[in-house]
């Protein structure tokens, strides 16, 4: 960052440590402001920060303003809006999530979670495709059974006709003999 040609990060995230809470609450925002960072989150899951007007807060969001100043735009125990990400940073059971809503119900997935979700979606797609194939096979089997039943019915009808014709021929022969 301090070398020529290096650009400041768009987002910095500082997790407050119990050993250096003043550094995290005071020094880090000043350093990020001087470095040109666009947005800073100071996250204090254990509320280890100083018990002064500036803390402790679970979530602080600092955002660079049009004039260039890095201004604290959120400080509190609830979700903080990130103008950079256009999402919320939401405290959740000693951790934090990034979410589309302040309640954290629509949390963004981590890479691992997204991969797992993609695998589950692929498995669901495979299952649906197999169910469709199975349904098509069942339908084909039904059609074959109906065709076989129709064929048997035609064969039975033909056999009955042949039997009737044979009987008629028998009767005609008997009539000729007696007649």
């Amino acid at each position: 960052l301090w070398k020529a040609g290096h650009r400041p990060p768009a987002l910095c995230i500082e997790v407050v440590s119990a050993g250096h809470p003043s550094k995290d609450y005071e020094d880090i925002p000043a350093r990020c402001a001087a470095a040109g960072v666009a947005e800073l989150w100071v996250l204090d899951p254990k509320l280890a920060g100083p018990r002064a007007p500036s803390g402790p807060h679970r979530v602080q969001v600092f955002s660079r303003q049009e004039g260039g100043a890095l201004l604290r735009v959120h400080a509190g125990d609830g979700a903080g809006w990130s103008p950079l990400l256009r999402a919320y940073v939401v405290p959740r059971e000693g951790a934090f999530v990034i979410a589309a809503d302040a309640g954290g119900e629509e949390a963004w997935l981590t890479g691992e979670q997204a991969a797992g979700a993609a695998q589950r979606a692929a498995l669901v797609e495979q299952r649906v495709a197999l169910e469709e194939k199975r349904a098509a096979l069942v339908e084909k089997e039904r059609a074959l059974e109906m065709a076989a039943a129709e064929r048997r019915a035609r064969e039975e009808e033909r056999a009955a006709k042949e039997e009737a014709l044979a009987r008629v021929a028998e009767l005609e022969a008997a009539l000729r003999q007696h007649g």
Side-chain angles (χ1 to χ4, degrees), residues 81-96:
W81 175 252
S82 166
L84 181 70
L85 298 183
R86 295 184 139 168
Y88 290 90
V89 57
V90 183
R92 183 183 283 170
E93 300 168 11
F96 297 87

Side-chain angles (χ1 to χ4, degrees), residues 1-178:
L1 177 63
W2 307 112
K3 294 180 180 179
H6 285 231
R7 294 166 54 184
L11 174 66
C12 287
I13 301 172
E14 181 71 19
V15 178
V16 176
S17 64
H20 303 287
S22 293
K23 170 190 75 89
D24 299 329
Y25 270 73
E26 296 164 16
D27 295 346
I28 294 299
R31 288 181 185 183
C32 286
V37 171
E39 189 167 292
L40 166 67
W41 300 351
V42 178
L43 307 178
D44 192 351
K46 297 181 180 178
L47 294 175
R51 309 270 182 245
S54 64
H57 304 289
R58 284 196 204 289
V59 178
Q60 294 182 76
V61 177
F62 295 80
S63 180
R64 187 152 310 273
Q65 304 300 301
E66 283 187 30
L70 191 64
L71 180 70
R72 184 168 73 177
V73 294
H74 175 82
D77 288 339
W81 175 252
S82 166
L84 181 70
L85 298 183
R86 295 184 139 168
Y88 290 90
V89 57
V90 183
R92 183 183 283 170
E93 300 168 11
F96 297 87
V97 296
I98 301 169
D101 65 312
E105 298 301 318
E106 298 176 44
W108 291 10
L109 300 178
T110 65
E112 187 176 291
Q113 290 168 330
Q119 286 175 342
R120 284 189 298 279
L123 288 173
V124 166
E125 283 183 33
Q126 288 175 354
R127 183 176 179 177
V128 166
L130 288 173
E131 287 294 325
E132 288 173 353
K133 284 181 182 179
R134 185 178 95 42
L137 287 172
V138 165
E139 188 59 35
K140 188 174 183 178
E141 186 177 342
R142 264 194 213 122
L144 289 172
E145 286 174 359
M146 288 177 63
E150 288 174 5
R151 189 174 51 247
R152 281 191 304 274
R154 282 193 307 270
E155 287 173 3
E156 288 172 3
E157 185 180 329
R158 188 182 42 146
K161 282 181 184 177
E162 287 176 1
E163 188 178 311
L165 288 174
R167 180 70 179 136
V168 166
E170 236 178 67
L171 291 172
E172 285 177 346
L175 280 173
R176 275 192 298 265
Q177 273 183 351
H178 294 292

